[in-house]
Amino acid sequence: MSLIAILLAAAAPASPPVPARVTQLLERSPIIDGHNDLAWEIRERHEARVEALDLSRDTAALPYPLQTDVPRLRRGGVGGQFWSVWIPADTTGPRAVEMTLEQIDIVRRFVAANPTAFALATSATDIREAQRGGRIASLIGIEGGHQIDGRLSVLRQMKALGVGYMTLTHGKSLAWADSSTDAPRANGLTAFGRQVVAEMNRIGMIVDVSHVSDATLAAVLDVAVAPVIASHSSARALADAPRNIPDDLLRRIGAAGGVVMVNVYPAFLSSAWRAWDRERTAFGKANGLATDAYGPKAPAPLVAWDAAHPMPRVTAATVADHVEHIARVAGRGAVGIGGDYDGIGGTAPEDMAGVDGYPRLFAELARRGWNDADLAALAQGNVLRVIERVGAVAASQKGRPPIDATALN
């Protein structure tokens, strides 16, 4: 969070207490969050020293603060987490596969280091069993098709290692699928791209359409026989970011039984915040400054710029606007939570600074009239339905042989 946000939060009236109704609901139906980048933060900011990082304590005050730890997951009502095993989009070839394995290892290590808090999960049954035991179900998602190096054999082995979904692209287009933030190469999906989707459906891996271009998303919906997720995306009608999803595709995702899991990155929630951040980035680049740090850890000239240019406010109410928009367009069965914490540069809505902030969102939606059944579906019911349906589709294709195909990235 930026220094301005901290000052605004300090000056603003305290948030009202979370109603007991919301606390009790999240105890019964804890959140299954679609996306968290803790594994990369551990690698980059903590030298992959998993065992030296005590996630059983609050990590907000570390020299390199995190937005995630066990106490805050508990306070946030999180009972299931897809941990992203992201690697940079410009890492390709065999090294991309190696680095993905290293990230999977980090997830498995911090789960093993906290056995009373976490339990690995690969199915809806596993998730429910973990929650009954008071543990946070820990699932794995690959964030970019570059991580399989154009090989369906690698995709299958990632599934065997417990990977539950793959985001088809990250920030760069591939030869077989296009990113929302890069020039198109495939103009949707190539023949190999369609084979990737078909093989994911066959083996029971969820297709994740966050980051993909509109043309690629439409092409996925044309060929997929199992519902998809957008693990960390919001509504483009409310914030015009390429990563967000337009209404026509929201409708199609909902009609196909899929789920859009709302992101909490301010740049995807607020066009005003996004414009402010563009100006901040331009100032930083013009002065040779790194712009990926916010608040007092940013370079001094940026701290001064922040003080002179008040940041637009983004709160739990802003997140609720996106949840409600997606629900209106695609149906309340088509919306979930995918915060992207620890992958958003330390930024967040001012009253949702870490994973413990989710009850504020649910309290806001309850204030707007959401009933307990719809809140429980938002928390976990909708994504559990997708997980179960993806598994059922795979079971129905059990007799089909693997697709033997490769492609150059």
Side-chain angles (χ1 to χ4, degrees), residues 1 26 30-31 33 36 38 41 46 53-81 83 114 117-118 136 341-342 346-360:
M1 183 181 293
L26 292 178
I31 294 161
D33 184 304
N36 184 297
L38 177 62
E41 286 295 281
H46 299 274
L53 180 64
D54 188 359
L55 292 177
S56 71
R57 298 184 179 184
D58 193 312
T59 60
L62 292 173
Y64 288 103
L66 297 172
Q67 294 176 304
T68 307
D69 49 56
V70 172
R72 283 186 286 171
L73 287 165
R74 300 287 196 200
R75 293 197 300 271
V78 178
Q81 181 66 70
W83 303 106
N114 296 274
F118 298 133
I136 298 162
Y341 281 109
D342 282 306
T347 64
E350 62 189 54
D351 49 355
M352 295 177 65
V355 294
D356 54 336
Y358 285 131
R360 298 287 176 203

Side-chain angles (χ1 to χ4, degrees), residues 4-356:
I4 295 299
I6 294 169
L7 294 174
L8 284 172
S15 298
V18 173
R21 168 194 164 196
V22 169
T23 301
Q24 292 162 4
L25 182 140
L26 292 178
E27 288 173 353
R28 295 191 306 270
S29 301
I31 294 161
I32 299 173
D33 184 304
H35 198 90
N36 184 297
D37 280 295
L38 177 62
W40 186 259
E41 286 295 281
I42 291 173
R43 180 192 185 104
E44 287 295 286
R45 299 296 191 183
H46 299 274
E47 300 175 332
R49 297 173 64 238
V50 176
E51 290 74 22
L53 180 64
D54 188 359
L55 292 177
S56 71
R57 298 184 179 184
D58 193 312
T59 60
L62 292 173
Y64 288 103
L66 297 172
Q67 294 176 304
T68 307
D69 49 56
V70 172
R72 283 186 286 171
L73 287 165
R74 300 287 196 200
R75 293 197 300 271
V78 178
Q81 181 66 70
F82 277 96
W83 303 106
S84 171
V85 292
W86 177 81
I87 67 169
D90 56 4
T91 301
T92 58
R95 180 58 185 145
V97 178
E98 293 171 354
M99 193 178 287
T100 302
L101 294 175
E102 292 164 1
Q103 292 304 102
I104 292 172
D105 180 65
I106 287 175
V107 172
R108 287 181 170 274
R109 284 164 59 195
F110 71 65
V111 168
N114 296 274
T116 62
F118 298 133
L120 287 172
T122 60
S123 67
T125 298
D126 291 345
I127 293 169
R128 293 188 177 101
E129 182 177 347
Q131 291 179 355
R132 282 194 297 270
R135 295 192 290 174
I136 298 162
S138 293
L139 305 101
I140 298 173
I142 287 175
E143 194 176 4
H146 62 294
Q147 295 181 240
I148 63 169
D149 191 26
R151 291 168 169 79
L152 295 183
S153 58
V154 173
L155 177 76
R156 289 189 287 272
Q157 293 311 304
M158 295 301 179
K159 171 65 175 175
L161 289 172
V163 172
Y165 73 65
M166 183 172 74
T167 319
L168 295 188
T169 69
H170 189 252
K172 291 182 178 292
S173 294
L174 306 177
W176 50 271
D178 297 325
S179 169
S180 63
T181 51
D182 195 12
R185 298 175 62 191
N187 296 310
L189 286 175
T190 64
F192 178 75
R194 293 190 292 273
Q195 288 177 313
V196 171
V197 173
E199 189 68 349
M200 292 177 71
N201 288 168
R202 190 191 70 83
I203 65 177
M205 187 183 286
I206 302 168
V207 177
D208 177 21
V209 294
S210 286
H211 284 287
V212 305
S213 72
D214 292 355
T216 293
L217 202 166
V220 168
L221 294 171
D222 286 342
V223 300
V225 295
V228 306
I229 64 168
S231 68
H232 55 305
S233 295
S234 299
R236 195 179 299 171
L238 300 188
D240 189 13
R243 274 278 314 283
N244 287 344
I245 299 177
D247 285 0
D248 60 331
L249 292 174
L250 289 176
R251 290 188 190 94
R252 289 193 62 188
I253 291 171
V259 174
V260 177
M261 309 181 82
V262 174
N263 185 298
V264 303
Y265 182 28
F268 299 151
L269 297 173
S270 165
S271 293
W273 197 98
R274 187 174 180 83
W276 171 86
D277 197 47
R278 280 198 301 267
E279 292 182 15
R280 182 181 188 272
T281 300
F283 170 82
K285 288 185 176 179
N287 289 276
L289 305 171
T291 59
D292 58 348
Y294 295 79
K297 288 190 177 295
L302 271 179
V303 173
W305 190 95
D306 290 347
H309 300 81
M311 180 181 70
R313 296 191 70 183
V314 176
T315 68
T318 319
V319 186
D321 291 342
H322 283 262
V323 171
E324 290 211 295
H325 181 87
I326 294 167
R328 281 193 299 270
V329 172
R332 290 196 176 183
V335 65
I337 303 298
D340 204 10
Y341 281 109
D342 282 306
I344 51 179
T347 64
E350 62 189 54
D351 49 355
M352 295 177 65
V355 294
D356 54 336

